[in-house]
Amino acid sequence: METGETLQQAAARECLEEALAQVEIGNLCAIVHVLHAEQVHVMFRARLSGTSYGVGQESLETILCDERDIPWREIAFKSVEFTLRRYFADRAAGRADLHYHTIP
């Protein structure tokens, strides 16, 4: 987070910086404690505002794909995989739960 921004503003800014994507931030999906990196990853549900996205300065690759086409083995961060799996399970069940996880 930057000084003076909310958590939601930080999430939207990160989407823009990482994936050149303008998003509308929704509710919280997951909070993941990444102990080895001394970080906490906070993940929101969000909606892409337009159709454009790309590779930001801090990313090597970005893609949009259907759930069945997600390259699970290629996801760089375990926190992202955890969150995506919970997101899709929630969507299938018609829920929007908040999930917690710790990665040693």
Side-chain angles (χ1 to χ4, degrees), residues 8 24-30 43-46 95-98:
Q8 293 91 333
E24 298 169 25
I25 299 296
N27 60 343
L28 274 172
C29 186
M43 310 285 194
F44 288 90
R45 290 172 181 85
R95 297 188 316 254
D97 293 340
L98 174 55

Side-chain angles (χ1 to χ4, degrees), residues 78-103:
K78 291 179 183 180
S79 60
V80 173
E81 179 181 350
F82 169 83
T83 303
L84 281 172
R85 290 190 187 278
R86 296 320 176 278
Y87 168 79
F88 288 121
D90 282 357
R91 188 173 74 170
R95 297 188 316 254
D97 293 340
L98 174 55
H99 303 277
Y100 297 92
H101 186 56
T102 299
I103 299 170

Side-chain angles (χ1 to χ4, degrees), residues 31-53:
I31 298 173
V32 182
H33 300 273
V34 187
L35 300 181
H36 69 276
E38 299 179 350
Q39 297 176 350
V40 176
H41 296 182
V42 179
M43 310 285 194
F44 288 90
R45 290 172 181 85
R47 182 173 305 278
L48 190 61
S49 297
T51 57
S52 65
Y53 69 96

